[in-house]
C-alpha cells in the first residue's frame, strides 16, 4: 500500500471513529433538531483526484427519533440523464444513518452513509460510500467523468449560512453570491421544499457547477412555477474541495 492509500485509509477510519464518538445510533439521549435540511455531498479528492464533484443533498428530518427520507442529485450538464438518488435513514439521538440509491447515467449505484449532529456548530456532517467503488463513465458526445467511491457531506437548516456573513440572493430569475478569495468551484442548485417535505419525488429542480470567477446564475426558463416557494443554495469550495462557504435562501418564483 503506497503512502497516499495509507493516508486515505487512516483518514477514513478516523472519520468513522469521530462520528461514533459519544455513543452509537439508538443510544438514549437528547434528539437533534429536525426539519428541512439542505447541504451537499463532496466526493473525496484523495480517492477521486480526477474530478471530485459536489452535489445537492436534501433531508427532511423528524423532530424526534424516527425514519426519514431525502434526495441526492448527480446531474450537472443538460445532455445527461436526470440522475437523482433516493435517501432513506433513521435518526437516533444525534446520529443519522441509512442508505442512498439511484441511477447515475443508467448505472445503478447505492451505498451506506452515517453522520452526526454537532451541537457546537449547529449542523449535521458525516461520510458516505459507494458499494460499486470508483467507476469511469463515458457519455458519448456529452461528458466523461469518474464516480467517486466515497465522500463526505454536511447539512444545514434552511438559511443557516456558513459563515453567517455569506449570503445568497435571488432577484427575478437570477441567483447571486459574493466572490470569495481562494474559491475554485461553485455549486448552485434550487429545490422545491414542498416536494422535499412530502417525500417520494425529486425535489431538486436543477443544479450546476460554475467556475470560481462566476458569481451569478440564471435559473433556466420554465423550470419553476410562478408564485411557488423555492430554495436556492450555493456552495463555494477551494482547490482541495473544502467548503469555504454555504448559504441557502427562500424565494418565490416571479
Amino acid at each position: 500500500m503506497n503512502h497516499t492509500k495509507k493516508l486515505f485509509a487512516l483518514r477514513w477510519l478516523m472519520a468513522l471513529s469521530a462520528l461514533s464518538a459519544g455513543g452509537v445510533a439508538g443510544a438514549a439521549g437528547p434528539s437533534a433538531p429536525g426539519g428541512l435540511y439542505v447541504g451537499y455531498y463532496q466526493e473525496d479528492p484523495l480517492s477521486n483526484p480526477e474530478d471530485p464533484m459536489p452535489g445537492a443533498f436534501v433531508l427532511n428530518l423528524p423532530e424526534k427519533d424516527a425514519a426519514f427520507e431525502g434526495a441526492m442529485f448527480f446531474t450537472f450538464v443538460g445532455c445527461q440523464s436526470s440522475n437523482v438518488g433516493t435517501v432513506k435513514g433513521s435518526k437516533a439521538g444525534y446520529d443519522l444513518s441509512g442508505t442512498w440509491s439511484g441511477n447515475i447515467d443508467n448505472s445503478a449505484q447505492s451505498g451506506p452513509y452515517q453522520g452526526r449532529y454537532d451541537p457546537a456548530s449547529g449542523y449535521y456532517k458525516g461520510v458516505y460510500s459507494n458499494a460499486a467503488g470508483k467507476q469511469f463513465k463515458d457519455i458519448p458526445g456529452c461528458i466523461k467523468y469518474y464516480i467517486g467511491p466515497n465522500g463526505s457531506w454536511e447539512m444545514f437548516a434552511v438559511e443557516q449560512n456558513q459563515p453567517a456573513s455569506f449570503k445568497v440572493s435571488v432577484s427575478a430569475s437570477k441567483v447571486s453570491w459574493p466572490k470569495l478569495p481562494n474559491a475554485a468551484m461553485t455549486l448552485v442548485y434550487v429545490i422545491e421544499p414542498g416536494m422535499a417535505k412530502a417525500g417520494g419525488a425529486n425535489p431538486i429542480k436543477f443544479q450546476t457547477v460554475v467556475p470560481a470567477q462566476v458569481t451569478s446564475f440564471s435559473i433556466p426558463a420554465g423550470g419553476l412555477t410562478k408564485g411557488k416557494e423555492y430554495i436556492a443554495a450555493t456552495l463555494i469550495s477551494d482547490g482541495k474541495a473544502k467548503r469555504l462557504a454555504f448559504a441557502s435562501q427562500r424565494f418565490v418564483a416571479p
Side-chain angles (χ1 to χ4, degrees), residues 206-228:
F206 80 90
Q207 77 170 357
T208 190
V209 171
V210 297
Q213 63 269 24
V214 176
T215 58
S216 65
F217 185 82
S218 295
I219 299 171
L224 307 181
T225 302
K226 182 178 180 180
K228 182 171 286 188

Side-chain angles (χ1 to χ4, degrees), residues 27-39:
S31 187
L36 183 61
Y37 274 72
V38 295

